[in-house]
């Protein structure tokens, strides 16, 4: 019997694995975050163990036939290291790019960053967290001086008065967390959901607003307008704990409710009702997720919602404030230990001389040998194979061709590389394009830490032996490093201790956390569980109001593409689907197009029959799902299957570099 955590989302639900050969998932009732509950994906998580599609040998593309063939580990790693060295000799260090993932353990993310900065000397590393919570991170840094998804434990939800969920469908994306909404309502609290679709989460709401995609920012400005007009601003808090309110107040003054209604489709009456609800409440908690954040103006949108929370005097108050519901298993830790283009371990910035000196000291290299800032995820992919861009890419923990925006373009960039190397458990759509595929262990077969959405560092413990022929990412990274002349640790606990030293004194300081403490305490928070009670992380201790204006989606609708396309998730599938589409017990019906009966009528579409969604970038033919829960001017496609991202727009947020996954202009025909 081994206690561990689910391989998927940021809730990192605790579970018990029983057995040695075949593993059975059992509840771990004592683990506080999920109290024994799991969603369907968690209960079936062992479905990939022993799966016939599990990779168990390295694969190398045969030059003569163009096919992937089995190879030995030494052959594969020698080949990769040799080609990387040759490409760097010819084109310089930045000829090699590295792409990581927010599903990797802290130890792996740390080693991958070190591989890039020390063994390869390249600045070109980034990861799929840019697709995920980077806009909230960027807003959190600006407003609070620190980026921690939730600055309070998730269960605090139950004790607030009004919970505002902006673009979160947590009943489907973190099902065990939905019990907090139920308990909040039992306690007399209210739940507000803002989503263009009436989701299972909205079904649990007392107030549901159904805006046009991409208009959460004007809704926030409209609320600020009304809160100010009603004298509901916490003047004392604003005066003593924040700066910048007057500028935001001036912007909000121009967003009277009728103007918000024209832009967002949310009626002035609904907005007034919501302003009154939050204005009168003692404790208000605002949580954003991908619906509000995955926009070319995602950072500004989060800043506007943070401004609402600040104007009401909430951040730092018990059971109130602002938080972002991070998504991936290690969405929080994955961004703290150095796989982001501008960061070193401990959430240190790579262009800060003191940070470089500290981390170089731990790594035993000269600070001047560390590269500078690299390209962000999409910019990195967009540059692949170009004159100035990387000629080789190493991918650990992301299925890029399914999950990146404007995927046809991204696939072409990957095809233009001299060398694509993918480490994965299965032959994902991206691995299938690689020159070298390296088979790795999966969660139940290895040990490592993850940092959940609350900043709680938890321990996944090995429950079973990996299949023969498979190596852990830490082994693979160390194997490459060794061939490039560097000695990296492979024991997870040893890597964690090194990560602790590298992060010591940084914003996310893990130096006091040990595996033993995590085991004894059901996870250990870095920093404190509840932040901002006395001060914010800026030098003056104050939070910032940052003035923002509404620009609207990068690609507005027009006569040729009159509908808003938005994308997202369904309960039973995870991300690019590389793992969950292979789990037999999970339904895998393929992509579908959700549309309203009025729209279906107009174009002659029928439930279950194919429709074609087209955008300026591509087309997708898939069955229609006719539902009255979506806005009539909006269509929704889940991205767990190939296709959705051939449609999406690669417009980026200027500050976070997050792509606009959540809205573009589309046409639909039957
Ligand atoms: N089942 C399942 N659970 C998951 C995942 C998964 O793949 N499958 N992935 C995990 C990860 S990495 C993440 S990031 C999280 C994501 O968790 P969520 O953010 O909850 O998931 P999404 O479905 O991407 O988006 C949430 C909602 O945003 C709405 N939306 C779309 N456009 C807009 C808009 O402009 N404004 C507003 N207000 N809402 C909008 C969508 O209709 C959708 O219901 O889920 C995690 N959990
Ligand atoms: N249209 C649209 N696109 C989106 C989104 C959206 O809402 N709409 N959401 C975006 C978001 S929030 C996210 S987080 C991304 C996620 O999209 P991806 O980055 O593609 O995430 P996954 O599908 O989790 O990919 C992980 C891959 O790594 C493998 N893997 C799992 N564990 C390990 C490991 O420990 N080591 C290694 N080496 N490999 C491993 C899996 O088998 C899988 O192939 O998608 C983004 N794309
Ligand atoms: S909610 Fe997330 S962590 Fe929990 S069982 Fe489901 S996928 Fe796993
Ligand atoms: Mo995500």
């Amino acid at each position: 019997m081994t206690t561990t955590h689910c391989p998927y989302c940021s809730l990192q639900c605790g579970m018990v694995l029983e057995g040695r050969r075949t593993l059975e998932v059992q509840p771990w009732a004592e683990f506080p975050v999920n109290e024994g509950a799991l969603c369907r994906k968690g209960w079936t998580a062992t479905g990939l163990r022993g799966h016939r599609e599990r990779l168990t040998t390295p694969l190398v593309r045969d030059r003569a036939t163009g096919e992937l063939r089995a190879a030995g580990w030494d052959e594969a790693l020698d080949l990769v290291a040799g080609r990387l060295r040759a490409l760097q000799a010819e084109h310089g260090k930045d000829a090699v790019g590295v792409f990581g993932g927010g599903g990797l353990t802290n130890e792996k993310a740390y080693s991958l960053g070190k591989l890039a900065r020390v063994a390869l000397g390249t600045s070109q590393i980034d990861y799929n967290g840019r697709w995920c919570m980077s806009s909230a991170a960027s807003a959190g840094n600006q407003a609070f001086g620190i980026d921690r998804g939730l600055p309070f434990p998730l269960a605090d939800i139950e004790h607030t008065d009004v919970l505002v969920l902006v673009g979160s469908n947590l009943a489907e994306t973190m099902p065990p967390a939905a019990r907090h909404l139920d308990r909040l309502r039992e306690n007399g609290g209210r739940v507000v959901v803002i989503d263009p679709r009436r989701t299972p989460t909205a079904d649990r709401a007392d107030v549901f607003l159904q805006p046009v995609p991409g208009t959460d920012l004007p809704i926030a400005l409209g609320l600020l307008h009304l809160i100010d007009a009603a004298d509901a601003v916490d003047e004392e808090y604003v005066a003593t704990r924040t700066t910048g309110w007057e500028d935001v107040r001036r912007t909000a003054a121009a967003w009277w409710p009728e103007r918000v209604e024209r832009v967002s489709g949310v009626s002035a009456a609904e907005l007034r009702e919501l302003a009154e609800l939050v204005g009168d409440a003692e404790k208000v908690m605002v949580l954003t997720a991908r619906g509000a954040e995955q926009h070319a103006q995602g950072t500004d949108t989060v800043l506007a919602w943070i401004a609402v929370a600040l104007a009401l005097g909430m951040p730092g108050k018990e059971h109130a404030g602002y938080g972002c519901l991070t998504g991936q298993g290690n969405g929080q830790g994955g961004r703290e230990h150095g796989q982001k283009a501008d960061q070193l371990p401990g959430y240190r910035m790579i262009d800060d001389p003191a940070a470089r000196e500290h981390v170089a000291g731990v790594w035993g290299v000269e600070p001047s040998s560390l590269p500078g800032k690299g390209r962000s995820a999409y910019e990195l992919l967009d540059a692949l194979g170009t004159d100035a861009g990387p000629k080789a890419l190493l991918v650990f923990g992301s299925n890029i061709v399914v999950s990146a925006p404007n995927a046809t373009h991204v696939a072409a960039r990957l095809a233009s590389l001299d060398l694509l190397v993918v480490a994965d458990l299965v032959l994902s759509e991206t691995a299938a394009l690689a020159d070298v595929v390296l088979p790795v262990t999966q969660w139940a077969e290895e040990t490592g830490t993850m940092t959940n959405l609350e900043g709680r560092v938890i321990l996944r413990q090995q429950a079973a032996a990996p299949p023969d022929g498979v190596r852990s990412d830490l082994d693979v990274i160390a194997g490459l490093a060794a061939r490039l002349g560097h000695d990296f640790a492979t024991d997870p606990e040893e890597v964690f201790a090194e990560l602790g030293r590298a992060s010591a004194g940084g914003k996310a300081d893990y130096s006091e956390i040990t595996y033993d403490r995590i085991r004894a305490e059901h996870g250990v928070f870095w920093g404190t569980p509840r932040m901002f009670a006395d001060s914010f992380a800026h030098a003056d201790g104050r939070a910032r109001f940052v003035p923002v204006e509404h620009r609207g989606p990068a690609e507005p609708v027009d006569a040729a593409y009159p509908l808003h396309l938005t994308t997202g998730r369904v309960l039973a599938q995870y991300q690019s689907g590389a793992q969950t589409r292979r789990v037999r017990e999970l339904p895998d019906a393929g992509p579908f197009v959700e549309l309203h009966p009025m729209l279906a009528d107009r174009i002659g579409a029928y439930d279950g029959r194919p429709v074609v969604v087209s955008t300026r970038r591509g087309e997708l033919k898939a069955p229609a799902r006719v539902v009255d829960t979506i806005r009539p001017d909006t269509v929704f496609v889940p991205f767990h299957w190939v296709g959705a991202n051939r449609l999406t727009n690669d417009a980026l947020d200027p500050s976070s570099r997050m792509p606009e996954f959540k809205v573009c202009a589309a046409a639909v025909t039957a």
Side-chain angles (χ1 to χ4, degrees), residues 55-73:
L55 295 171
T56 53
T57 170
L59 304 173
V60 168
R61 195 166 298 280
D62 190 289
R63 292 210 167 182
T65 64
E67 301 291 316
L68 288 169
R69 62 163 175 83
W73 273 101

Side-chain angles (χ1 to χ4, degrees), residues 191-215:
V191 177
V192 180
V193 170
I194 306 181
D195 195 308
R197 302 183 307 136
R198 197 173 72 239
T199 59
T201 311
D203 288 340
R204 294 176 140 90
D206 302 280
V207 178
F208 170 52
L209 305 186
Q210 193 166 18
V212 175
T215 61

Side-chain angles (χ1 to χ4, degrees), residues 27 217 254 354 356 405 441 473 572:
L217 196 166
R356 294 169 68 86
T441 49
D473 290 287

Side-chain angles (χ1 to χ4, degrees), residues 451-653:
T451 306
N452 84 349
L453 76 173
E454 314 166 284
R456 186 195 300 259
V457 184
I458 55 96
L459 184 63
R460 288 183 179 171
Q461 310 196 90
Q462 182 177 5
D468 286 342
V470 166
R471 293 190 183 174
S472 80
D473 290 287
L474 291 178
D475 271 323
V476 175
I477 292 168
L480 285 174
R483 284 165 176 78
L484 297 165
H486 294 269
D487 184 21
F488 281 19
T490 56
D491 173 61
E493 196 161 1
E494 204 181 311
V495 177
F496 188 73
E498 185 185 314
L499 176 167
R501 291 194 295 280
S503 73
K507 277 190 173 163
D509 183 337
Y510 281 44
S511 60
E512 302 287 309
I513 306 174
T514 62
Y515 280 18
D516 285 339
R517 265 191 75 197
I518 300 174
R519 284 193 195 98
E521 298 171 35
H522 287 152
V524 177
F525 285 86
W526 66 256
T528 56
R530 290 192 183 79
M531 302 176 116
F532 314 145
D534 305 314
S535 74
F536 295 97
H538 286 300
D540 62 2
R542 287 168 178 250
R544 306 271 182 277
F545 279 98
V546 181
V548 291
E549 231 340 320
H550 177 58
R551 288 192 303 272
E555 187 182 60
V557 294
D558 58 18
Y561 297 99
L563 298 165
H564 307 281
L565 168 69
T566 192
T567 60
R569 295 163 166 80
V570 298
L571 200 164
Q573 292 293 327
Y574 189 67
Q575 311 279 64
S576 74
Q579 299 171 87
T580 45
R581 279 186 273 126
R582 290 179 166 87
V583 174
R584 222 189 25 233
E585 299 90 334
L586 293 174
D588 171 10
F592 57 86
V593 181
E594 207 177 272
L595 52 106
H596 192 273
M598 270 156 56
L599 175 60
D601 249 16
R602 203 162 73 230
I603 63 170
Y606 294 93
D607 191 56
R609 303 258 285 274
V611 289
V612 176
V613 184
S614 48
T615 70
R616 288 187 175 81
R617 292 153 295 278
E619 271 188 11
L620 170 71
K621 187 172 180 177
R625 220 176 251 190
V626 180
V627 293
D628 64 4
T629 46
I630 190 167
R631 287 181 60 92
D633 58 6
T634 301
V635 293
F636 169 85
V637 180
F639 83 100
H640 310 294
W641 295 269
V642 173
N645 275 319
R646 292 186 181 147
L647 304 170
T648 50
N649 191 355
D650 55 10
L652 302 182
D653 180 293

